[in-house]
Amino acid sequence: MSIVDDIKARYKGSTLLVRFIYINIAVFVVLRLVGFISFLGTGSSASLVQWVELPSSFHSFLLRPWTLITYMFSHYDVMHILFNMLWLYWLGRIFLEFFNPRQMGGLYVLGGIGGAALYLLCYNLIPHLSGSHSLLLGASASVLAIVVAIALYRPDYPIQLFLFGSISLKWIAIITVFIDIIGIENNNMGGHIAHLGGALVGLWFWLEMKRGHDITSWINRGIDAVVMLFKKPKQKATDNRTSSRGPSFNYHQSTSASRDKVKDNAPKEAGVLDEEKLDEILGKLKQSGYAALTDEEREFLFNASRRRE
């Protein structure tokens, strides 16, 4: 097996959290390789980065709207990607103890969009910033959205830090946000503004979850729609063919009486089972808390809440 095949196999068999890390690393490698080749040829290494980083000028952004997404998966500095991916892995694993992978992925994207939105607003509406030129690159806003969300949801979750011992997760989030606030006056003003935008998305996620609403659901539906555009449609087997795995059945030959019976009984039985399962999950939630629910039970609970909205 070649290195490429091995990487593909590892990517397909990994969790969504690890896949996000793979994507960030892959983009980083491509940017650095293209930059190195460009440097050898022209003496400049910024050939491809300009097409993925988010510009502060709204006019420039309209010419490159894809940068709203590409910037949050792109890094050029080694220490930048190292710290962001370590943060994403450590805090992402804690997040996944209480929420499902799709919520983490959706929050990552929403955090990046929130960071970009605040960044663009500040640089185009604040008078003394409107004339300056800045570029945004990195997953920090996305990661901070996840950090703030899980810190608000489980503020006293213990984190073991070297030299400091055990510290509550809330203090890590508070210190991180405080550093971004006081760091706005420094050279990386745009980065700190974007980080705060991601933190606000994390706060929004937590507030809506308290109300029983999942703000990541719509972004996940959008991602699913985009993915489906690139998927090949499955071929439908004809009624007369049989599969090597077993016989095929022609369901269209059922009698009208049996069809009526299915129509009358199936929804009713399904509804009773759904209500029983919902009552069971709600009882478990009341007794043991949200953390005791399995991923399947959490998904069922969210689907049920959406149906009743």
Side-chain angles (χ1 to χ4, degrees):
M1 180 181 289
S2 66
I3 296 178
V4 175
D5 292 335
D6 183 51
I7 294 175
K8 287 182 179 179
R10 289 178 179 273
Y11 177 82
K12 290 181 179 179
S14 61
T15 63
L16 183 62
L17 173 61
V18 176
R19 287 186 180 187
F20 269 54
I21 295 174
Y22 272 132
I23 293 171
N24 277 275
I25 294 175
V27 174
F28 169 77
V29 171
V30 171
L31 290 178
R32 292 307 297 252
L33 283 176
V34 172
F36 177 71
I37 294 171
S38 175
F39 178 77
L40 292 178
T42 64
S44 174
S45 59
S47 59
L48 187 58
V49 178
Q50 59 183 328
W51 297 103
V52 296
E53 56 191 353
L54 183 71
S56 59
S57 167
F58 193 71
H59 174 72
S60 299
F61 166 68
L62 292 178
L63 297 176
R64 288 179 284 177
W66 60 84
T67 57
L68 180 68
I69 302 298
T70 58
Y71 97 91
M72 70 180 77
F73 292 97
S74 306
H75 302 79
Y76 201 78
D77 182 73
V78 175
M79 297 306 294
H80 192 195
I81 187 173
L82 177 62
F83 280 108
N84 272 346
M85 294 304 100
L86 286 175
W87 268 84
L88 178 59
Y89 182 71
W90 288 334
L91 278 300
R93 289 183 62 183
I94 298 174
F95 184 91
L96 290 175
E97 290 182 22
F98 304 98
F99 302 99
N100 62 52
R102 284 173 61 83
Q103 289 171 309
M104 187 217 68
L107 186 56
Y108 180 101
V109 175
L110 278 178
I113 293 175
L118 186 61
Y119 170 79
L120 287 171
L121 285 173
C122 288
Y123 271 87
N124 289 275
L125 295 181
I126 298 178
H128 72 274
L129 291 178
S130 59
S132 57
H133 177 68
S134 177
L135 295 165
L136 186 63
L137 198 70
S140 300
S142 300
V143 175
L144 197 54
I146 295 173
V147 172
V148 170
I150 192 58
L152 288 168
Y153 187 77
R154 281 293 182 269
D156 296 319
Y157 190 101
I159 300 292
Q160 294 294 328
L161 294 180
F162 180 66
L163 298 179
F164 294 94
S166 180
I167 183 173
S168 297
L169 183 55
K170 62 185 176 186
W171 289 112
I172 293 179
I174 290 171
I175 293 171
T176 303
V177 172
F178 178 73
I179 290 174
D180 282 316
I181 292 175
I182 64 175
I184 289 180
E185 297 180 4
N186 297 331
N187 294 331
N188 189 24
M189 181 184 296
H192 290 298
I193 290 173
H195 298 174
L196 294 176
L200 289 174
V201 172
L203 172 63
W204 180 31
F205 174 84
W206 173 69
L207 290 174
E208 288 300 308
M209 285 298 297
K210 289 179 66 177
R211 298 175 54 197
H213 299 158
D214 181 10
I215 64 171
T216 67
S217 58
W218 69 269
I219 195 71
N220 278 316
R221 285 195 295 268
I223 294 172
D224 291 340
V226 173
V227 171
M228 290 302 295
L229 292 176
F230 297 94
K231 278 192 174 183
K232 294 181 180 179
K234 296 181 179 180
Q235 281 188 324
K236 293 183 179 179
T238 59
D239 292 338
N240 296 329
R241 292 184 180 179
T242 58
S243 169
S244 59
R245 297 182 180 179
S248 62
F249 298 93
N250 189 345
Y251 293 99
H252 298 288
Q253 294 178 353
S254 60
T255 62
S256 60
S258 62
R259 286 198 301 269
D260 292 340
K261 185 176 181 181
V262 170
K263 290 180 180 179
D264 291 338
N265 295 335
K268 183 178 180 180
E269 293 175 359
V272 172
L273 291 175
D274 283 350
E275 289 296 331
E276 291 179 353
K277 186 174 182 180
L278 180 60
D279 291 339
E280 181 181 348
I281 293 174
L282 291 176
K284 184 177 179 181
L285 178 65
K286 183 178 180 180
Q287 182 177 1
S288 305
Y290 189 80
L293 302 183
T294 64
D295 288 342
E296 182 183 355
E297 289 171 338
R298 294 174 186 174
E299 189 69 24
F300 181 88
L301 190 60
F302 284 125
N303 290 335
S305 64
R306 284 197 293 268
R307 287 197 299 267
R308 297 187 177 195
E309 288 178 357

